[in-house]
Amino acid sequence: MEPIVPRAPRHKFTAVRDGAGVPHVEAEDWAGALYALGYLHGIDRPTQLYFARAVGSGRAAERIANRPELLEMDRFLRRAGVHRGLQQEADELAPAVLEQLGWYCDGVNDAILEIGRSLPMWVTGFTPQPWDAEAVLLIGNLLSFAGLAVGEQESERLLLELIQLAPDDQRLRELFSPYLDGIDLELLREIRITRRLSDDALELLTDLPRLAGSNAWAVSPQRSASGAALLAADPHLEVNRLPAIWYEAVLNWGEGRYAMGATLPGAPLMSVGRTPRLSWGVTYLVSDTSDFFIEDCRPGGESGWQYRRGAQWCDFKLRTETLGRKGAETEEMAVLENEVGVLMQTPPANSPGKYLSAAWVGSRPGGGRSIQTWLDVMAAADVQEAMRAVRDSPHPSLVWVFADRDGHIGKQASGWLPDRGPGRSGVVPIPAWDERNHWRGLVPSDQLPGEYDPPIGFVASANEEAYRTDGPPLHAFSLPDYRKRRICERLTELPQATLADMQALQYDVLSVQARDLLPVLLAEVEPGPLRDRLAAWDLRYDPDNEGAPLFQAFYRGVLLEVFGHEEGLGWRRMLYLSTRVGFSQLVLTAADRLLRKVTSSWWREGEKGEMIRRAAARVAVEPRQPWRAVNSFQFTNRFFGGGMTGRLLGFDSSSTAMPGCHATPFQGHLLTTATRTTTFAPSYHFVTDMGVDEAHTNLPGGPCESVFSKWYHSDVKRWTEGKYKCLSPAAPGKKNGTTDSTDDKG
């Protein structure tokens, strides 16, 4: 045990680290517990806290370093307005919520006063400012905007680029059917679009608080070996840069009250966790919360530019953002906006035409009360109370999975969603000059799907397609269901599930995608060694599996043959979209569905088989290699790693094999840019039995952000080996049930 001793706490608490470095807090009341959580975030993750705030507020180039990618992100986020209205949102919070945020912020500020500036702060000349309710709300905005809306916007911009470049409308409409049905593609080709965010800027988003993908499920007592409800959750994020995104903590207060799980530095929320009565996990409801509109623009008016509504021309509102740059002159950026959204660029002088405008539902007033949802969940007594608490939460858009002490389980979608007119999906930009295309308000929360104690005995979520209770989809375009299907089939096969079963499913690497596509593809391949090897493959993406890289190479070759020709998407573009360099879930999901068809505009009779055989011939000559040879990464430091400094100081680890792929429950997915590799994998594993006051967890990191701390990567070995530690509300070293609080559970 290692005690954590604050110098002059405003609220009394004690804290000790267990054998994994996880802090266990004992406080007299809830105020003391929240204060302690803020204090722990402040002493263990100060740089993560304050750098996220600087980036999110669009002041990174001013406060951290005057680097091109930081300035680019500043421009993007300031234009989007994520930082705006925070004071008003804080003022409108309920007094009890504001009081709780105050307790948490006091803890953060007292910790910073005590420890001073971190090494990265000292190196960059960064001076932290007091943490307050506005900072907490900014972190909440980032959860929604950086984690979901930006991804939607980038996918929709990619689709718009494909529309503008593709030579064959029929093929494009079929590939993305039904989402382009009835769409005027020629109008979309008139839009003047800005370039997408650079790879360096997009990489900054991986450092921001977000929930970009996840698995979560709950099992009812009748399907549980223990006779109590079980819950498992694993949010998927970047995992190779330390410190880890999440911060584990065990909070005890009052008489037998506790909350333990993964907290987010910067806010008093627990994204995955449990109390004595309730456990929960979340996945992103991959719903469409952001739309592009087409604005017909011309020079003129008081702001310098006007937009059209019907036959009438109206003045844009002009907002000027002053961008600071460390060691350089400030930059003035003009932002044009109206009742629909924000223009993505200021048009060049004397260049009338059609431009993109972006609308994000989270910019509506009232979004600040989202923080109350997280606090209400920790206070909820059972699944039904928790489902009611989350259903009306503004953002981010989530699917919550719950289990409680009484054996109930449930799943509830939440988040503001724009109510579009009939036939308007949001997948492509639509004319803003036709006011029938404007949002009509919000989808009523009672139309968000939910389940309570379903007869099948389990609920599960893995970022699959979801639909309103009255029928329309909540997503903008097709989403893969491979992880969800694998989870459900395994749960169906487990009539008496155990915690060990839940842990094994979190590390499952069988690909339903490969199981779906292999029969289709191999039917066209001539007998021989390649066909025999793929037919005998067990469909798993274990690090030492030689079938996985063979299938990936074959699959990529088929995509290039079918879609990469000049009359399709183009060879270079398809290579980019089908590899880890520019991996596009939008395109590949559409391609997977089309490949299962017998006839298509993408091939003439007999051509499909010929294209598959050409791909097979090329991959047949490639040398044998295990999955680890093509799917490995290095752990590196979030602030100093990846460059010469990181290598010289030893901040970069040796190569680590990544199991899984984008289509397996353990989503071990790598993206490679010109400067570094980004991982996408389970960032926290959590399983719990509601009949016992314990949780079994691991994460790719440790509590502390300092590379010189023994708690910097204290849980990495468990995460890579698939082992779990046991968290308990009991003090470290004391028995609670049958296991010690730091025992490994394989």
Side-chain angles (χ1 to χ4, degrees), residues 146-169:
L148 183 59
V150 173
E152 293 169 13
Q153 291 180 3
E154 289 298 299
S155 292
E156 291 172 16
R157 284 169 62 91
L158 169 63
L159 180 57
L160 181 58
E161 290 173 5
L162 293 177
I163 290 170
Q164 293 192 345
L165 296 171
D168 191 314
D169 288 357

Side-chain angles (χ1 to χ4, degrees), residues 53-205:
R53 183 186 190 181
V55 174
S57 59
R59 300 181 63 194
E62 172 190 352
R63 305 211 61 217
I64 301 174
N66 185 15
R67 299 195 335 233
E69 68 272 18
L70 292 179
L71 183 59
E72 181 184 359
M73 184 54 64
D74 285 350
R75 291 173 182 145
F76 176 73
L77 291 176
R78 293 281 279 276
R79 183 180 296 277
V82 177
H83 64 296
R84 302 180 69 198
L86 295 174
Q87 179 63 62
Q88 180 180 350
E89 292 291 339
D91 291 342
E92 293 178 358
L93 291 174
V97 174
L98 199 57
E99 183 179 38
Q100 292 176 83
L101 298 190
W103 296 333
Y104 172 82
C105 294
D106 286 345
V108 173
N109 292 325
D110 286 353
I112 298 300
L113 287 174
E114 186 175 309
I115 67 171
R117 293 191 296 172
S118 65
L119 178 60
M121 291 181 189
W122 180 82
V123 168
T124 59
F126 185 96
T127 302
Q129 298 173 341
W131 203 258
D132 54 23
E134 293 177 49
V136 173
L137 297 182
L138 177 62
I139 296 298
N141 280 353
L142 291 174
L143 269 175
S144 181
F145 186 75
L148 183 59
V150 173
E152 293 169 13
Q153 291 180 3
E154 289 298 299
S155 292
E156 291 172 16
R157 284 169 62 91
L158 169 63
L159 180 57
L160 181 58
E161 290 173 5
L162 293 177
I163 290 170
Q164 293 192 345
L165 296 171
D168 191 314
D169 288 357
Q170 180 184 359
R171 288 176 170 174
L172 198 68
R173 289 185 188 276
E174 182 187 5
L175 179 60
F176 294 108
S177 176
Y179 301 100
L180 297 183
D181 293 355
I183 300 297
D184 182 355
L185 300 186
E186 289 306 316
L187 173 62
L188 298 181
R189 292 183 175 119
E190 295 179 26
I191 301 173
R192 304 185 184 193
I193 58 175
T194 57
R195 66 183 180 89
R196 297 163 64 198
L197 287 170
S198 69
D199 288 340
D200 288 341
L202 285 172
E203 286 170 2
L204 290 172
L205 293 177

Side-chain angles (χ1 to χ4, degrees), residues 264-288:
L264 180 66
L269 63 84
M270 193 169 279
S271 65
V272 180
R274 66 162 294 172
T275 65
R277 298 286 309 167
L278 182 75
S279 59
W280 63 91
V282 295
T283 71
Y284 246 136
L285 172 65
V286 189
S287 55
D288 197 359

Side-chain angles (χ1 to χ4, degrees), residues 666-684:
F666 189 102
Q667 190 178 182
H669 185 50
L670 272 60
L671 299 173
T672 303
T673 67
T675 56
R676 70 177 178 90
T677 295
T678 298
T679 56
F680 196 70
S683 59
Y684 185 58

